[in-house]
Amino acid sequence: MHKVLVVDDAVFMRNIIKDFLTKNGFEVVGEAGNGAEAVQKYIQTRPDLVTMDITMPEMDGVEALKKIKEHDPLAKIIICSAMGQEKMVIQAMGAGAIDFIVKPFQEARVLEAITKAAASL
């Protein structure tokens, strides 16, 4: 079973992703509400995959992705963004994100991204 860290500043968004993941055989090993917390939780939980919101307080998803990648260059991180954040998505992909999902989440797209990432583990 693949372990996933879910990062989003909105609790309801984390719950949507967690629901998609758990009912499809993934284990959610942690949650974070901002980028700084995400880096700490990554180090603590050592997940196989991370879903990372791009716009968050304290530290955004791009910065958190870079910090996690410094700690673990093989980290598999999927960026979650709202429409209109193409510039940040491009930055995140350039910094090492393996895929991106656009909000509002569609279960099929979330599962496609997660399954594809899990297959590369």
Side-chain angles (χ1 to χ4, degrees):
M1 182 181 295
H2 294 296
K3 301 180 299 182
V4 184
L5 173 62
V6 178
V7 183
D8 199 299
D9 57 328
V11 173
F12 78 96
M13 285 294 185
R14 292 198 307 264
N15 288 337
I16 290 169
I17 294 176
K18 283 188 335 191
D19 181 53
F20 290 166
L21 294 173
T22 53
K23 74 181 186 190
N24 286 283
F26 293 88
E27 178 187 359
V28 176
V29 294
E31 296 179 48
N34 64 56
E37 193 181 337
V39 175
Q40 291 175 334
K41 290 276 176 117
Y42 185 89
I43 292 166
Q44 289 170 358
T45 62
R46 306 295 298 162
D48 299 312
L49 304 166
V50 179
T51 63
M52 177 82 69
D53 186 21
I54 210 161
T55 308
M56 295 181 290
E58 258 184 79
M59 180 189 295
D60 69 31
V62 176
E63 196 58 39
L65 179 147
K66 289 176 182 174
K67 292 213 179 300
I68 289 171
K69 284 290 205 176
E70 284 172 17
H71 182 76
D72 178 4
L74 300 177
K76 305 266 189 246
I77 301 170
I78 298 168
I79 287 292
C80 304
S81 74
M83 295 301 283
Q85 294 179 320
E86 290 83 3
K87 186 175 174 199
M88 287 184 82
V89 169
I90 290 166
Q91 285 180 327
M93 296 301 285
I98 58 170
D99 206 344
F100 67 95
I101 310 165
V102 177
K103 296 176 184 178
F105 298 126
Q106 294 175 325
E107 185 171 1
R109 176 65 188 117
V110 172
L111 293 176
E112 175 193 339
I114 294 282
T115 304
K116 188 170 86 177
S120 70
L121 293 172

